[in-house]
């Protein structure tokens, strides 16, 4: 099962009488593509259709669909946990190798930002935040922790020491 099929099944679980047009908006796909994906889910036995009236269809997750969705969710959680472990290990190395340096991260809040800040809090290490890379004064005692290719490019241009936690 592909990720998009899982997304559609989650939407169906939330609202079984949702229109394909609304599904398409929610997953940022064309109406035609959503129609094809739903047909594939029906063919695989994950979703069943029930006509409510001539204009409205109810989508029902089958036991196979519920089971497949659960498996996919478990696999996603395992994958996400392994990535968090890798980020934690990388941050521990960064803290260890840069104990005498100021550590900076972008204050653009996303899930990775939250993870890094939780790790720093747990390790009792201070991390400085910046809005733009121009705020960082170039000095040898600074290192930028990043995961965004745009910030990485700016660090390269300004010869700022950085560590990409996904490399």
């Amino acid at each position: 099962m592909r990720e998009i099929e899982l997304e559609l099944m989650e939407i169906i679980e939330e609202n079984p009488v949702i229109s394909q047009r609304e599904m398409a908006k929610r997953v940022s796909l064309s109406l035609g593509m959503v129609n094809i994906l739903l047909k594939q889910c029906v063919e695989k036995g994950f979703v069943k259709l029930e006509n409510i009236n001539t204009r409205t269809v109810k989508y029902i997750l089958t036991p196979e669909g519920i089971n497949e969705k659960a498996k996919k969710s478990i696999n996603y959680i395992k994958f996400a946990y392994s990535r968090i472990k890798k980020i934690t290990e990388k941050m521990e190395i960064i803290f260890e190798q840069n104990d005498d340096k100021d550590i900076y991260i972008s204050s653009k809040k996303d899930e990775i930002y939250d993870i890094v800040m939780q790790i720093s809090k747990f390790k009792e290490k201070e991390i400085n935040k910046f809005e733009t890379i121009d705020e960082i004064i170039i000095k040898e005692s600074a290192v930028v922790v990043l995961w965004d290719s745009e910030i990485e490019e700016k660090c390269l241009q300004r010869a700022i020491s950085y560590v990409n936690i996904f490399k």
Side-chain angles (χ1 to χ4, degrees):
M1 177 195 298
R2 296 178 302 202
E3 199 71 35
I4 193 67
E5 290 171 328
L6 177 64
E7 250 186 279
L8 288 174
M9 291 192 336
E10 287 176 350
I11 290 169
I12 289 168
E13 190 173 48
E14 289 172 17
N15 182 2
V17 292
I18 190 168
S19 70
Q20 287 186 15
R21 189 171 308 283
E22 183 60 32
M23 280 188 225
K25 284 181 194 172
R26 291 196 40 199
V27 296
S28 301
L29 289 175
S30 71
L31 180 59
M33 182 55 75
V34 167
N35 186 277
I36 290 168
L37 291 169
L38 285 172
K39 284 180 182 177
Q40 289 173 354
C41 286
V42 169
E43 288 170 9
K44 292 176 184 177
F46 298 155
V47 175
K48 187 175 119 182
L49 303 178
E50 182 181 294
N51 289 324
I52 294 178
N53 59 43
T54 56
R55 294 182 48 111
T56 308
V57 174
K58 182 177 182 180
Y59 300 94
I60 302 164
L61 287 183
T62 64
E64 293 85 6
I66 292 168
N67 190 34
E68 191 65 25
K69 185 174 151 308
K71 277 193 239 178
K72 189 74 169 175
S73 296
I74 289 167
N75 288 338
Y76 176 77
I77 290 168
K78 286 178 181 179
F79 172 77
Y81 179 73
S82 73
R83 295 302 294 173
I84 291 169
K85 274 182 69 173
K86 286 180 182 177
I87 292 170
T88 302
E89 290 165 2
K90 190 88 168 199
M91 287 305 300
E92 287 174 351
I93 292 167
I94 291 167
F95 289 141
E96 191 176 293
Q97 292 177 347
N98 298 286
D99 193 40
D100 58 337
K101 295 182 180 179
D102 293 333
I103 298 174
Y104 291 86
I105 67 167
S106 170
S107 60
K108 179 182 157 195
K109 292 180 173 61
D110 62 13
E111 293 82 2
I112 307 302
Y113 172 90
D114 291 340
I115 292 167
V116 170
M117 293 309 292
Q118 286 298 320
I119 294 166
S120 71
K121 187 177 179 181
F122 179 74
K123 295 291 181 181
E124 297 179 345
K125 299 287 186 174
E126 185 177 334
I127 294 184
N128 303 294
K129 299 170 215 81
F130 63 87
E131 291 289 326
T132 67
I133 200 73
D134 297 326
E135 294 174 27
I136 299 172
I137 298 167
I138 299 174
K139 55 183 178 178
E140 287 183 30
S141 64
V143 64
V144 175
V145 174
L146 54 84
W147 51 94
D148 182 315
S149 58
E150 287 181 28
I151 295 173
E152 183 173 16
E153 185 61 37
K154 289 178 183 177
C155 284
L156 283 169
Q157 290 170 357
R158 294 198 50 221
I160 295 174
S161 178
Y162 71 89
V163 178
N164 186 327
I165 58 176
F166 282 108
K167 290 186 178 175

